Amino acid sequence: ALSRKKRFEKQLTQIDGTLTTIEFQREALENASTNTEVLKAMQVAAKSLKTAHNDMDIDNVHDVMDEIHEQQEIASEIADAISNPVGFGHNMDEDDLMAELEELEQEALSEQLLDTGGASMAPDLPDVPSTAPPKPAANKKEKDELDEMAELEAWAS
């Protein structure tokens, strides 16, 4: 019985090894099949790209892009020419205009500061009261809260 058990264990080990080998082969075949399908798809894509690019030449593409760039520059120049104001006689630099505006504002401010108009600069203000202002009457709730706070302070110290 012991030799039979050993023989069955040996057969079980051999069958397990065979199954493992078959499993590896099945996975390798699946991978090979997947790789074949991927390669076929890539070949079809390459042929399609070649067909699509058959009529294109890189020099033609560059020429078309240069023409587009030139036309965009012309359109920009036309837009600039149209947007310039007409009838002013001459073009003013924006920095010059801003400097002139600041100069005029500064002159106006200087005139305002220098022009006292003969009147006193201090406005008429009421006299300062000689007595302390009256304290507002505390309502009962506030008074109770203040008393409680005083008790807590006394207790805490």
Side-chain angles (χ1 to χ4, degrees):
L2 187 59
S3 65
R4 196 165 140 199
K5 180 183 174 188
K6 287 185 180 184
R7 189 176 38 158
F8 285 144
E9 285 178 356
K10 185 176 180 184
Q11 282 180 339
L12 182 63
T13 305
Q14 288 175 345
I15 291 171
D16 188 42
T18 303
L19 287 175
T20 303
T21 303
I22 291 172
E23 179 84 17
F24 286 143
Q25 288 177 346
R26 184 185 58 79
E27 289 176 5
L29 287 172
E30 285 178 2
N31 288 339
S33 175
T34 303
N35 290 341
T36 302
E37 291 299 317
V38 169
L39 181 62
K40 287 178 183 177
M42 291 174 78
Q43 287 173 340
V44 169
K47 287 179 184 177
S48 297
L49 282 172
K50 187 174 184 179
T51 302
H53 292 141
N54 212 12
D55 295 334
M56 287 189 222
D57 181 23
I58 191 67
D59 293 329
N60 291 341
V61 173
H62 284 299
D63 291 342
V64 169
M65 294 306 294
D66 289 341
E67 289 176 14
I68 290 172
H69 183 68
E70 288 174 16
Q71 293 304 316
Q72 286 176 340
E73 287 178 357
I74 290 171
S76 177
E77 289 176 14
I78 290 171
D80 288 343
I82 290 173
S83 66
N84 283 338
V86 178
F88 288 117
H90 64 294
N91 292 336
M92 294 289 287
D93 186 22
E94 192 169 325
D95 292 334
D96 292 341
L97 289 174
M98 290 303 292
E100 185 176 345
L101 177 64
E102 287 179 19
E103 186 178 315
L104 290 172
E105 288 174 344
Q106 186 63 39
E107 286 177 14
L109 182 63
S110 296
E111 286 179 20
Q112 284 178 350
L113 292 176
L114 294 176
D115 183 24
T116 58
S120 171
M121 291 289 286
D124 292 333
L125 297 175
D127 294 332
V128 176
S130 59
T131 61
K135 292 185 178 181
N139 62 22
K140 183 173 176 11
K141 185 178 177 184
E142 289 178 354
K143 187 173 192 267
D144 289 344
E145 287 179 2
L146 289 174
D147 290 342
E148 287 179 19
M149 289 300 290
E151 285 179 26
L152 279 174
E153 281 184 13
W155 177 80
S157 47

